Amino acid sequence: MTRGPTLPAHRSPYLPTPLDAFNLAPADEARALLERCLRSSRWADRLAEHRPYPDLPALLAAADEAAYDLDQTELAEALAGESLPRLPEGTYSAAHTALDAAHAAYEARFGHVFVISPGDTPPEELPDRVLEGIRSRLTNDPDDERVVVAEELRGLARHRLALHLGPTGCRTTSDYAPRPHA
């Protein structure tokens, strides 16, 4: 019995990842995405200038590194671009009232919106985490709070970059999307 030639094993075609598309995008498109994630033009410019990134961890490390070089004005720009977190559907009105009051107290004390990185917090637990974070950080000295805020901004940047440019990247906003100020 004679057989014909053996066919090579089937290989799936290479599909570009969101990070591949980002690396190849025109500079203005890459900067626009970075500004949506980072809320700072200088921070976005620094990351855009150093493309291509071999993988997501390299991009996230570069984002962290670039954030340490931001001055107070640039950090203020990033903070000014932040909004209150969107609460999950079905959140009780009492939770909205408590969070609005806590946000108002925080803004009165520190002069900017409260920021906290969602990390791995499930959306239904985010209101409790935000309220707990505000209450615990209201006692901070303003200088200490600036350090905490800078770290939370870095965490938000990592979270947003991973959402947009990770393997299952999306073009929508995260669970920490802006909601209108009350």
Side-chain angles (χ1 to χ4, degrees):
M1 169 175 187
T2 312
R3 291 187 183 189
T6 305
L7 295 174
H10 176 72
R11 291 192 181 142
S12 297
Y14 173 76
L15 299 174
T17 66
L19 183 61
D20 294 332
F22 167 77
N23 281 330
L24 297 171
D28 58 333
E29 288 179 26
R31 276 192 193 88
L33 173 67
L34 290 168
E35 284 188 25
R36 283 192 308 275
C37 292
L38 308 173
R39 312 291 202 260
S40 164
S41 55
R42 181 164 178 254
W43 199 358
D45 287 344
R46 291 203 51 209
L47 289 182
E49 289 169 5
H50 291 92
R51 291 181 307 150
Y53 293 95
D55 52 32
L56 186 61
L59 172 62
L60 299 180
D64 271 354
E65 185 65 30
Y68 287 107
D69 293 336
L70 298 177
D71 63 27
Q72 289 303 317
T73 303
E74 293 156 343
L75 284 173
E77 176 193 9
L79 275 172
E82 294 296 339
S83 298
L84 301 177
R86 175 177 294 157
L87 298 177
E89 292 295 322
T91 302
Y92 295 105
S93 63
H96 283 277
T97 302
L99 280 168
D100 288 343
H103 278 286
Y106 182 91
E107 287 186 36
R109 173 145 169 77
F110 296 110
H112 57 79
V113 70
F114 176 79
V115 292
I116 191 167
S117 176
D120 294 332
T121 305
E124 66 275 5
E125 294 176 18
L126 190 58
D128 290 335
R129 179 160 185 235
V130 171
L131 190 57
E132 178 185 316
I134 292 172
R135 287 179 176 161
S136 70
R137 289 170 45 192
L138 272 170
T139 62
N140 283 353
D141 172 84
D143 290 333
D144 293 338
E145 183 60 11
R146 274 192 285 281
V147 173
V148 173
V149 165
E151 183 57 36
E152 292 297 335
L153 284 172
R154 284 188 290 279
L156 278 169
R158 286 188 300 270
H159 178 76
R160 290 175 179 146
L161 290 168
L163 273 173
H164 288 282
L165 299 173
T168 59
C170 64
R171 297 284 181 219
T172 60
T173 54
S174 72
D175 292 327
Y176 199 86
R179 71 177 170 99
H181 247 97

